Amino acid sequence: MIKKLSLALLAFSLCSPSYSEQVYGTTNNAAAFGLNWVMTNILPSQAGLEVNGLVYQYTAVKDPETGMTVYVQNEYADGSGYIFRNADDWTGLPRNTLRRKFAVPNLNAELWGPGSIEVVGEGSVQDASVVYSYKYDTCFDPQSDPSCPGYEEKIEVPDIPIYDPLQDEFVQAEMERKARIQEQEEEQERQRRREQWAVSNALEDLLADGNNPGLVDPLAEAMALALTARTLPTDYYYGLEGREYFDTVVLDGGNIADNAKARRSNLAQQLLHQQMIDSQYESSQQETK
């Protein structure tokens, strides 16, 4: 059964651009299918609903000489005790039907846990009925109805995909290309520093003494001289003045054969030179660290 506000208030609310309405109602019999019930199955699932009272009725079946107490009760939803509990003492009383009505101080429906009728002693109850009264505000949630005070229009925000340029295959390819170029340039720079370091050390040893006592290895001395020659300008060749002398040497056979042994020796010296440079550079780097 639903009870609403007065017709005057209803008429006023219909004339207003926005309104809030208090709705009152009662539940069905909570004990219709047994002496235990779950409140979420009894109360409407309305936001802001409050229980403001209950009415229970039952018939006590017992012998007048026996003792019996009947508890009509509801636990708190969190199990911390009873939100409502009333005891009827039937000790020394005959079979009879009892009806009682209680008001409760507008307790939120979420507080109400399991309900039950408990019999302690000798006897039983029949035809039990437990009915709760409640109220709620139709605009407890202003967003439930555009006519509610405080209602706000929802702004639809489009779903804009986020573009990550780092995930673009062309960007990734360009980044990898630049990384390879940078790696090559760094390797070239390391090689240039190794050669520069080798030339510097070779010149220092070569020029330290007129007799070059520091160069005990003839091959190392030759390489130092070669490196020195690479660093000296060659333009002075064109500045010499003199006469022309014709070669009068006559070779037997008329051909000069290539010196294969000298070619192999030069190649071996070049490889050894590179190994010495790399070895000395690595040693200097470790000492620096």
Side-chain angles (χ1 to χ4, degrees):
M1 179 177 61
I2 304 295
K3 296 181 180 179
K4 297 185 178 180
L5 294 177
S6 64
L7 293 177
L9 180 60
L10 181 60
F12 174 78
S13 65
L14 292 175
C15 297
S16 304
S18 63
Y19 66 92
S20 176
E21 181 182 8
Q22 293 286 342
V23 176
Y24 295 83
T26 57
T27 67
N28 295 325
N29 178 14
F33 301 102
L35 301 183
N36 296 274
W37 56 91
V38 178
M39 292 302 289
T40 54
N41 297 334
I42 303 302
L43 295 172
S45 57
Q46 181 69 37
L49 185 141
E50 297 175 338
V51 176
N52 54 19
L54 64 89
V55 177
Y56 70 76
Q57 177 179 311
Y58 62 86
T59 298
V61 180
K62 63 179 293 293
D63 189 301
E65 303 300 327
T66 61
M68 183 180 78
T69 303
V70 178
Y71 295 91
V72 180
Q73 57 201 12
N74 274 92
E75 299 178 27
Y76 274 102
D78 61 4
S80 60
Y82 292 96
I83 191 171
F84 173 83
R85 195 182 199 205
N86 188 71
D88 300 321
D89 188 1
W90 289 85
T91 302
L93 297 177
R95 172 187 178 126
N96 202 352
T97 298
L98 180 66
R99 176 183 174 86
R100 287 194 171 180
K101 182 177 182 180
F102 298 87
V104 295
N106 298 323
L107 298 174
N108 192 285
E110 295 180 354
L111 299 174
W112 291 77
S116 63
I117 297 177
E118 181 182 1
V119 178
V120 178
E122 299 182 14
S124 62
V125 298
Q126 294 179 349
D127 302 326
S129 174
V130 180
V131 176
Y132 298 87
S133 60
Y134 59 83
K135 71 171 185 177
Y136 63 85
D137 186 346
T138 56
C139 289
F140 176 82
D141 178 8
Q143 296 302 110
S144 62
D145 192 327
S147 63
C148 290
Y151 176 84
E152 296 181 359
E153 292 286 346
K154 294 182 179 180
I155 301 176
E156 296 293 336
V157 179
D159 186 13
I160 301 176
I162 300 176
Y163 173 71
D164 185 0
L166 297 180
Q167 300 300 323
D168 190 287
E169 59 178 346
F170 297 105
V171 175
Q172 290 181 348
E174 180 63 17
M175 292 175 62
E176 293 175 358
R177 186 186 69 82
K178 290 184 177 180
R180 288 194 299 269
I181 293 176
Q182 182 178 359
E183 184 177 354
Q184 294 173 357
E185 292 177 348
E186 291 175 352
E187 178 60 29
Q188 293 174 357
E189 177 64 17
R190 286 193 293 267
Q191 180 66 22
R192 185 190 66 80
R193 290 180 180 179
R194 283 197 295 265
E195 293 181 356
Q196 182 179 6
W197 176 86
V199 170
S200 176
N201 281 5
L203 288 175
E204 181 179 350
D205 292 340
L206 180 63
L207 300 177
D209 192 301
N211 297 321
N212 299 322
L215 297 177
V216 298
D217 187 351
L219 179 59
E221 182 178 357
M223 286 192 297
L225 292 173
L227 291 171
T228 304
R230 292 173 57 184
T231 61
L232 296 177
T234 58
D235 292 343
Y236 67 91
Y237 288 111
Y238 303 100
L240 296 179
E241 297 181 359
R243 297 176 60 187
E244 181 179 4
Y245 293 90
F246 295 97
D247 191 1
T248 59
V249 177
V250 178
L251 297 178
D252 186 14
N255 293 320
I256 301 178
D258 293 337
N259 191 339
K261 183 176 180 181
R263 184 186 306 168
R264 289 194 296 270
S265 178
N266 290 337
L267 180 58
Q269 291 178 4
Q270 181 179 357
L271 293 176
L272 181 58
H273 165 62
Q274 185 61 42
Q275 292 176 359
M276 290 178 59
I277 291 176
D278 293 341
S279 176
Q280 293 174 356
Y281 178 78
E282 296 297 334
S283 298
S284 67
Q285 292 298 103
Q286 292 179 359
E287 292 177 358
T288 303
K289 294 181 179 179

